[in-house]
Amino acid sequence: MSYLLTSLSKKHEVDSIIRDTIDKVLVLRFGRASDSVCLQLDQILSKAARDVSKFATVALVDVDSEDVQVYVKYFDISLIPSTVFFFNAHHMKMDSGTADHTKWIGTFHRKQDFIDVVEAIFRGAMKGKLIVNCPLPPERIPKYQLLYKDV
Amino acid sequence: MATLADSFLADLDDLSDNEAEIPEDNEVDAADMEEDIDGDLADLENLNYDDLDSVSKLQKTQRYIDIMQKVEEALQKGTEVSIQGVDLEDDPEYQLIVECNALSVDIENEIVIIHNFIRDKYRLKFPELESLVHHPIDYARVVKKIGNEMDLTLVNLEGLLPSAIIMVVSVTASTTTGKPLPEDVLSKTVEACDRALALDSAKKKVLDFVESRMGYIAPNLSTIVGSAVAAKLMGTAGGLVALSKMPACNVQLLGAKKKNLAGFSTATSQFRIGYIEQTEIFQSTPPPLRMRACRLLAAKSTLAARVDSIRGDPSGKTGRAFKDEIHKKIEKWQEPPPAKQPKPLPVPDSEPKKKRGGRRLRKMKERYAVTDMRKLANRMQFGVPEESSLGDGLGEGYGMLGQAGSGKLRVSVGPSKLAAKVAKRFKEKNYGSSGATSGLTSSLAFTPVQGIELTNPQAHAHQLGSGTQSTYFSETGTFSKIKRT
């Protein structure tokens, strides 16, 4: 958890931030402080937060608190960390070649990758699209398997 | 010698006002000439090259002797009573200083005249020396050292000149076209050199005296640049009032050495700074800031000189204030720039791209434009199957490329729009319509039955080319009638 980014643990906090972020991409990271991958993602987010501050807001949601389990269930968050993108209270999907388009699982290889993803979402949202393509080449997209959830 | 004097005087014919006098001078004896000649120092046409005294009279004048005497006394007395504040103009010391300034300028002029004299005499012996050694005093010293010697390896010029110049001088001397001087000419030349050196030392004495009094004369100026430099500036300008009337850019150049020697690179020559270079403020600034510091110094010292010329601030407070200001400014220049804050990235697509236009961009775009060949290949004629590169409809289709009848796939390059406009303007400028048409029409007329008809090979391609260019709008024409409303 970076001290520069807002971290949320209550449902109404999450509600308000989703409602109040106007004309900016909202990046919500669902994760916990003990996970190492999550910490890696947190560091990248905190470094990039200032750079994209003109068109994006970054916030962290603790997945272990009871209040936000509603959201965890809604977004079907099972792998940690998961990042969900919003624009003007619309949920933005991104096709990165993986099975799940509704969220981004895992961390980014570089700060620039994160910025590229946020920019793609912003451009698509400004055009009115609800799903965008991922600008990263496949080798930089973390691979994961959803199989064990289906089992 | 007579022929030499003749040729010189003939040259001066253009300059002289009293032409009647000159033919007379030629015949009259040397002793008589002195009586005819005017006592004016700078009178060119009266220069008699045989005798030094007629050329340089300063040392004989009463004024010179008086002032030198007073200076000697004052120097021996040392610093005594300071100048009374209010009635500066009446104070005898101040008068002396003013006269000293004028005298130093006169001495300067005198030295130039004597230098010319020495140079003209020594030309027989070593003509190239004058272009190698510019400074009059250095020239005089070198001439005195060399004397009538033909072999320069026997002469030791160490200490008189920088070693590079000594080398050039020795090399030039070995190939010089000069001949040794006759004895009397040589003695006159050496005497002139001595006189020049004496004048130079007198000038130094005068300047020393002025320098010692500088703190009372111009307190503000001497606080900023130091009393030695202040004295030199005042001396070169010709007085405090003259110095205060100069603009600061001129003050910066007072005392600047001119003329880089031929063969030495001008890349390292420092740009045009005079006596200001010798001030301690200038010497203590780091080299990258020196030009700015010089300008600043010149400006502030001009202001101080102006204050001093009207005795506005005898205590020197203004000078100290200026000096502090200068120090502060120089320090500020040396501060590191403030650290850069990383800026957040701009919102994507919020700043519209600056679209450029103009001839240059159009020429750049022409390189990527769709060519005539591509245009033809993209179109097809109705009802006519197109050929393709692999035959039978496989491979790339050729469209209308080979179909005009010649069977060639090549399309000659039609005139590009830019080139057409340029050509049109060129034609309008130069030719106007001469009435003749294509250069390929000949006066010989062959009938098609008999012989060969010269065809214009470009006409064919133009037919095709015009298929890709619009036929309704002309490429080069403008409006036919423009009514001014």
Side-chain angles (χ1 to χ4, degrees):
Chain A
M1 296 284 188
S2 168
Y3 49 82
L4 286 176
L5 304 169
T6 41
S7 60
L8 316 163
S9 45
K10 300 262 183 300
K11 180 174 180 300
H12 66 87
E13 284 174 359
V14 181
D15 282 343
S16 61
I17 197 172
I18 293 179
R19 258 198 316 260
D20 296 336
T21 316
I22 305 176
D23 282 346
K24 275 172 135 195
V25 176
L26 176 64
V27 181
L28 281 188
R29 181 228 69 183
F30 286 86
R32 49 177 79 97
S34 46
D35 189 21
S36 63
V37 184
C38 201
L39 288 175
Q40 211 179 340
L41 175 64
D42 282 351
Q43 195 191 15
I44 291 188
L45 287 179
S46 62
K47 278 201 280 190
R50 188 157 189 273
D51 286 340
V52 301
S53 55
K54 286 203 168 172
F55 54 94
T57 319
V58 183
L60 312 173
V61 182
D62 189 6
V63 82
D64 289 329
S65 94
E66 295 84 31
D67 238 2
V68 294
Q69 291 305 311
V70 184
Y71 284 114
V72 172
K73 252 211 182 53
Y74 178 72
F75 288 120
D76 196 14
I77 292 176
S78 46
L79 297 169
I80 299 296
S82 301
T83 315
V84 189
F85 299 98
F86 297 90
F87 187 84
N88 278 347
H90 286 287
H91 173 46
M92 299 293 298
K93 301 191 205 153
M94 184 161 77
D95 176 9
S96 36
T98 60
D100 191 355
H101 296 174
T102 59
K103 57 178 101 59
W104 173 275
I105 309 256
T107 180
F108 295 89
H109 279 236
R110 276 189 230 132
K111 183 176 106 169
Q112 190 56 40
D113 290 348
F114 170 66
I115 297 176
D116 289 341
V117 164
V118 172
E119 185 183 334
I121 294 203
F122 182 82
R123 281 186 198 262
M126 290 301 271
K127 291 215 176 90
K129 300 187 181 171
L130 288 173
I131 179 163
V132 300
N133 283 325
C134 178
L136 303 179
E139 43 291 349
R140 289 207 233 133
I141 299 178
K143 296 277 176 281
Y144 52 89
Q145 298 192 3
L146 275 182
L147 288 178
Y148 69 87
K149 279 296 146 192
D150 291 339
V151 167
Chain B
M1 275 315 289
T3 51
L4 186 66
D6 275 348
S7 58
F8 282 127
L9 289 170
D11 283 343
L12 291 173
D13 262 350
D14 306 321
L15 305 170
S16 82
D17 293 332
N18 33 352
E19 296 199 5
E21 214 179 333
I22 288 178
E24 271 185 300
D25 285 339
N26 278 341
E27 289 106 44
V28 178
D29 207 12
D32 295 338
M33 272 197 230
E34 276 192 359
E35 295 156 16
D36 292 342
I37 284 169
D38 209 8
D40 199 346
L41 286 170
D43 216 6
L44 264 182
E45 60 260 30
N46 290 324
L47 284 178
N48 178 359
Y49 288 91
D50 282 339
D51 199 341
L52 179 62
D53 277 333
S54 57
V55 170
S56 139
K57 287 206 160 152
L58 183 62
Q59 277 180 320
K60 304 282 187 294
T61 55
Q62 192 56 34
R63 174 174 153 247
Y64 175 84
I65 295 173
D66 276 346
I67 296 180
M68 285 312 296
Q69 207 176 15
K70 282 191 214 163
V71 168
E72 296 278 336
E73 287 171 12
L75 275 177
Q76 282 166 5
K77 267 194 280 183
T79 57
E80 9 93 356
V81 288
S82 64
I83 296 174
Q84 283 34 296
V86 180
D87 290 339
L88 176 65
E89 265 63 61
D90 299 336
D91 190 37
E93 280 251 340
Y94 186 73
Q95 295 288 17
L96 185 56
I97 300 285
V98 170
E99 280 166 16
C100 278
N101 273 328
L103 186 67
S104 69
V105 176
D106 285 338
I107 292 182
E108 190 74 54
N109 292 340
E110 190 69 18
I111 288 181
V112 170
I113 294 178
I114 296 186
H115 171 66
N116 288 343
F117 180 83
I118 301 175
R119 186 191 58 195
D120 293 330
K121 291 267 189 259
Y122 209 63
R123 243 187 218 152
L124 298 176
K125 166 81 174 53
F126 193 171
E128 297 90 356
L129 185 63
E130 60 168 326
S131 56
L132 295 175
V133 182
H134 288 286
H135 197 254
I137 303 300
D138 287 340
Y139 188 84
R141 287 204 191 106
V142 170
V143 163
K144 203 167 155 194
K145 205 71 189 282
I146 295 180
N148 227 356
E149 194 66 59
M150 277 315 285
D151 187 1
L152 242 83
T153 55
L154 302 173
V155 178
N156 182 19
L157 291 173
E158 298 285 314
L160 293 181
L161 295 170
S163 38
I165 303 194
I166 295 180
M167 196 171 64
V168 178
V169 166
S170 339
V171 167
T172 328
S174 57
T175 59
T176 188
T177 55
K179 301 173 293 291
L181 296 169
E183 197 52 50
D184 55 336
V185 176
L186 178 69
S187 66
K188 284 207 180 89
T189 315
V190 172
E191 186 193 332
C193 293
D194 286 331
R195 191 174 285 197
L197 294 173
L199 280 175
D200 186 50
S201 68
K203 185 167 149 215
K204 274 211 184 73
K205 261 192 231 155
V206 166
L207 276 183
D208 280 340
F209 168 65
V210 173
E211 184 184 325
S212 65
R213 296 288 179 272
M214 198 35 93
Y216 303 119
I217 303 297
N220 296 299
L221 183 59
S222 7
T223 339
I224 299 181
V225 295
S227 47
V229 175
K232 286 188 192 147
L233 285 174
M234 240 176 81
T236 329
L240 189 55
V241 176
L243 180 65
S244 66
K245 285 190 184 157
M246 283 185 180
C249 50
N250 285 9
V251 169
Q252 183 179 338
L253 291 178
L254 278 178
K257 291 182 217 155
K258 297 171 205 158
K259 278 197 216 168
N260 291 313
L261 237 35
F264 295 122
S265 148
T266 50
T268 55
S269 70
Q270 234 194 357
F271 213 95
R272 299 285 164 166
I273 313 176
Y275 290 129
I276 304 268
E277 193 180 3
Q278 299 162 13
T279 60
E280 53 163 300
I281 299 182
F282 185 84
Q283 295 292 334
S284 59
T285 55
L289 294 174
R290 282 201 168 167
M291 275 315 297
R292 296 170 74 180
C294 168
R295 246 174 281 148
L296 182 63
L297 267 176
K300 293 300 174 212
S301 54
T302 315
L303 289 177
R306 289 178 193 167
V307 168
D308 283 330
S309 68
I310 53 168
R311 282 308 265 199
D313 188 1
S315 65
K317 206 159 40 123
T318 330
R320 279 191 288 277
F322 282 154
K323 192 167 180 199
D324 285 337
E325 210 182 302
I326 293 177
H327 277 303
K328 250 191 253 156
K329 276 200 183 162
I330 295 184
E331 269 184 39
K332 190 145 196 292
W333 291 340
Q334 291 172 334
E335 261 174 21
K340 266 181 73 170
Q341 293 285 356
K343 279 170 38 179
L345 298 168
V347 179
D349 287 342
S350 68
E351 280 106 24
K353 276 196 287 191
K354 295 173 213 144
K355 302 242 180 275
R356 295 177 161 199
R359 192 169 178 275
R360 194 191 288 189
L361 198 79
R362 269 183 275 133
K363 261 203 126 51
M364 280 285 298
K365 282 190 138 177
E366 241 183 48
R367 289 163 55 194
Y368 299 100
V370 181
T371 64
D372 284 344
M373 196 191 102
R374 274 287 159 197
K375 282 188 195 155
L376 284 179
N378 286 341
R379 303 173 189 178
M380 273 180 66
Q381 264 192 322
F382 184 78
V384 172
E386 67 173 358
E387 296 149 17
S388 51
S389 58
L390 297 177
D392 271 358
L394 306 169
E396 267 196 34
Y398 288 153
M400 278 182 68
L401 255 191
Q403 289 182 3
S406 61
K408 290 192 292 200
L409 287 180
R410 289 206 176 171
V411 180
S412 70
V413 177
S416 71
K417 291 188 185 169
L418 280 182
K421 280 209 187 121
V422 171
K424 174 184 154 220
R425 264 190 235 134
F426 185 67
K427 264 189 232 158
E428 274 172 12
K429 254 196 263 175
N430 288 343
Y431 298 131
S433 196
S434 62
T437 50
S438 144
L440 290 170
T441 53
S442 72
S443 50
L444 301 169
F446 285 105
T447 62
V449 178
Q450 259 186 0
I452 318 166
E453 190 183 279
L454 287 172
T455 56
N456 184 1
Q458 301 291 336
H460 214 49
H462 270 294
Q463 273 174 27
L464 227 61
S466 60
T468 60
Q469 284 157 1
S470 80
T471 49
Y472 191 80
F473 294 108
S474 155
E475 296 290 320
T476 56
T478 56
F479 292 106
S480 58
K481 193 159 88 170
I482 300 175
K483 218 197 281 191
R484 305 231 165 209
T485 55

